[in-house]
């Protein structure tokens, strides 16, 4: 089925994106490769949301695995029609895609908030650990001369900007791919059911096919 191949392609892409989301989120904990800021809890509150690890990572692995398995689904189907079973599998993939949409949406929203709120750092102006750009509504991103207000961690603005932006983009792509699979799953399931009904109508004498044809066919082969 072409719908299954499309789902499998989406699944592999999601696996790659989820892996990079997890890596980016982990790096947010270690500005400039230093671990002391994480142990001292001197990082942005949005880093602790684990939006890349949970939202863009773990919650994406599940639908990715489901999508990859759709192309080679060996379900025997129902009433002797294999397409019926595959149609059910395609429709069930919509639920997995919705989980992916929720996870990627969480990753996207938290990344946007992290960029808008700015980093938590030792301010050269207030001489204290604060969010110096919290009232700028993201305007600080275009005011490079203000970035030096953060004394520690060093280059924290650039660090957060890079990683949160990566997570924002990855989360957005994951959201789009899962949304595509929702449409693909519906179309694949509905088209499979319609094709199966047409097959039944064109072969009215085949209604006596056993409910589980796979087992029946194997026993007949042994009898012969």
């Amino acid at each position: 089925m072409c719908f299954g191949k499309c789902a499998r392609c989406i699944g592999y892409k999601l696996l790659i994106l989820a892996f990079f989301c997890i890596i980016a989120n982990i790096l947010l904990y270690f500005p400039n490769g230093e671990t002391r800021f994480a142990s001292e809890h001197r990082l942005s509150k949005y880093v602790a949301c684990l939006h890349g690890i949970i939202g863009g990572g773990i919650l994406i692995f599940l639908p990715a695995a489901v999508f990859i398995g759709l192309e080679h689904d060996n379900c025997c189907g129902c009433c002797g029609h294999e397409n019926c079973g595959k149609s059910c599998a395609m429709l069930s993939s919509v639920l997995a895609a919705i989980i992916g949409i929720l996870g990627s949406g969480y990753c996207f929203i938290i990344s946007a908030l992290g960029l808008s709120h700015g980093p938590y750092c030792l301010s050269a102006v207030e001489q204290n650990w604060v969010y110096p750009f919290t009232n700028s509504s993201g305007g600080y991103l275009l005011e490079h001369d203000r970035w030096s207000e953060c004394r520690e961690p060093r280059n924290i603005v650039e660090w957060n900007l890079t990683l949160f932006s990566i997570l924002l983009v990855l989360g957005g792509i994951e959201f789009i791919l899962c949304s595509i699979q929702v449409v693909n799953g519906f179309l694949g399931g509905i088209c499979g059911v319609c094709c199966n009904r047409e097959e039944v109508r064109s072969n009215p004498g085949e209604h006596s096919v056993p409910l589980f044809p796979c087992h029946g066919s194997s026993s007949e082969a042994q009898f012969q």
Side-chain angles (χ1 to χ4, degrees):
M1 292 177 68
C2 60
F3 296 105
K5 291 181 179 178
C6 177
R8 188 182 184 214
C9 180
I10 291 175
Y12 280 121
K13 286 179 171 61
L14 287 176
L15 279 180
I16 297 173
L17 293 172
F19 174 77
F20 283 115
C21 278
I22 292 175
I23 296 299
N25 199 160
I26 291 175
L27 289 176
L28 280 171
Y29 276 93
F30 309 108
N32 306 306
E34 300 181 54
T35 60
R36 62 188 179 94
F37 299 108
S39 60
E40 295 172 358
H41 304 288
R42 288 179 172 175
L43 296 173
S44 170
K45 59 184 178 182
Y46 295 107
V47 175
C49 290
L50 301 177
H51 56 296
I53 295 175
I54 296 177
I58 296 174
L59 290 180
I60 295 298
F61 283 137
L62 173 61
V66 172
F67 301 161
I68 291 172
L70 285 177
E71 185 184 11
H72 302 294
D73 190 356
N74 294 322
C75 180
C76 295
C78 52
C79 301
H81 298 284
E82 183 181 359
N83 285 337
C84 178
K86 289 190 175 182
S87 297
C88 293
M90 288 298 296
L91 289 174
S92 65
S93 73
V94 174
L95 297 177
I98 292 175
I99 294 176
I101 288 175
L102 294 176
S104 58
Y106 175 67
C107 180
F108 184 89
I109 292 172
I110 297 300
S111 298
L113 290 174
L115 287 172
S116 176
H117 209 63
Y120 182 70
C121 63
L122 177 61
S123 173
V125 177
E126 301 184 30
Q127 298 297 321
N128 197 7
W129 286 86
V130 295
Y131 291 93
F133 311 117
T134 186
N135 295 323
S136 67
S137 299
Y140 76 95
L141 296 172
L142 302 177
E143 301 172 355
H144 295 184
D145 55 324
R146 293 190 58 193
W147 293 4
S148 58
E149 291 183 19
C150 285
R151 294 173 56 186
E152 286 191 1
R154 292 179 299 102
N155 303 317
I156 187 60
V157 178
E158 294 90 334
W159 187 268
N160 276 18
L161 174 60
T162 300
L163 294 175
F164 274 120
S165 296
I166 290 174
L167 287 168
L168 184 75
V169 173
L170 294 179
I173 296 175
E174 289 175 343
F175 186 91
I176 293 172
L177 290 176
C178 289
S179 299
I180 291 174
Q181 179 54 29
V182 170
V183 178
N184 182 58
F186 270 122
L187 292 178
I190 293 173
C191 290
V193 171
C194 292
C195 292
N196 185 57
R197 287 180 178 176
E198 290 298 325
E199 181 182 346
V200 172
R201 290 175 182 174
S202 61
N203 300 281
E206 296 182 357
H207 289 288
S208 60
V209 179
L211 181 62
F212 302 103
C214 291
H215 300 291
S217 59
S218 60
S219 60
E220 289 176 4
Q222 292 177 359
F223 178 75
Q224 292 176 354

